[in-house]
Amino acid sequence: MLSLAHTDALPRFNRMELYAVSMPKPFSGEEPKRKPSDQTFPVRPYGVDADIHAHKTITGDACDERRAAWQSLVFDSIGGAFCHYPAYGFRLYRDDVLLFETTVCWECQSFDVPRYDAEKQDYTHDWYGFAKDDKSQSLLKIVQSFLPHPKL
């Protein structure tokens, strides 16, 4: 149920912090290098940080457009291959309250969402997916138009 707040029922936000990120390919054996936290973005399920290459803040009506594009995706709790080699990190805010933070991989169409682990009685992060279709490619083009990725 918590995943709905990060997918189809994503709440309205009025500020989006968009980050172009990269990290070594998962399972390649190459470890991410430690850097100051203001130069990295967390990839929570892996417990590592991606390097930040560029950042842009989006506000106003553009936030509603990004929200609509995100909600138009066909979400899948099982998702794809899950290589999770993220190109972008998103932080969504309403005023100064962080609503959602995630990294997105367009190679395997995955992102992470918080989940409640009833056994541990704690929150964790797990993968979620979206379909590789025209809507996901449209969202990628929108994101790239605001913040071209220097490594794509």
Side-chain angles (χ1 to χ4, degrees), residues 16-24 32-56 84 86-93 98 100-104 111-112 125 147:
M16 177 181 197
E17 300 292 336
L18 180 60
Y19 299 84
V21 301
S22 71
M23 59 183 251
K33 294 176 179 64
R34 286 282 167 208
K35 293 186 177 181
S37 63
D38 64 338
Q39 297 175 17
T40 62
F41 197 97
V43 183
R44 296 194 189 284
Y46 285 153
V48 300
D49 295 317
D51 293 334
I52 295 173
H53 301 288
H55 167 252
K56 184 156 187 176
H84 203 75
Y88 288 98
F90 300 159
R91 286 190 179 123
L92 309 178
Y93 294 86
L98 178 64
F100 184 36
E101 174 184 78
T102 194
T103 54
V104 182
F111 60 102
D112 66 280
H125 288 261
L147 184 63

Side-chain angles (χ1 to χ4, degrees), residues 121-133:
Q121 296 186 345
D122 197 7
Y123 287 92
T124 185
H125 288 261
D126 207 355
W127 303 118
Y128 216 83
F130 54 89
K132 185 174 188 172
D133 58 13

Side-chain angles (χ1 to χ4, degrees), residues 108-121:
C108 67
Q109 291 72 52
S110 69
F111 60 102
D112 66 280
V113 295
R115 296 197 193 263
Y116 184 72
D117 185 331
E119 187 175 301
K120 294 179 182 177
Q121 296 186 345

Side-chain angles (χ1 to χ4, degrees), residues 63-120:
C63 289
D64 289 335
E65 294 167 12
R66 298 311 153 277
R67 181 174 169 262
W70 180 261
Q71 287 179 310
S72 76
L73 299 177
V74 178
F75 294 105
D76 179 0
S77 63
I78 298 170
F82 293 112
C83 65
H84 203 75
Y85 185 59
Y88 288 98
F90 300 159
R91 286 190 179 123
L92 309 178
Y93 294 86
R94 183 177 304 131
D95 300 323
D96 290 328
V97 176
L98 178 64
L99 301 174
F100 184 36
E101 174 184 78
T102 194
T103 54
V104 182
C105 175
W106 266 274
E107 289 187 35
C108 67
Q109 291 72 52
S110 69
F111 60 102
D112 66 280
V113 295
R115 296 197 193 263
Y116 184 72
D117 185 331
E119 187 175 301
K120 294 179 182 177

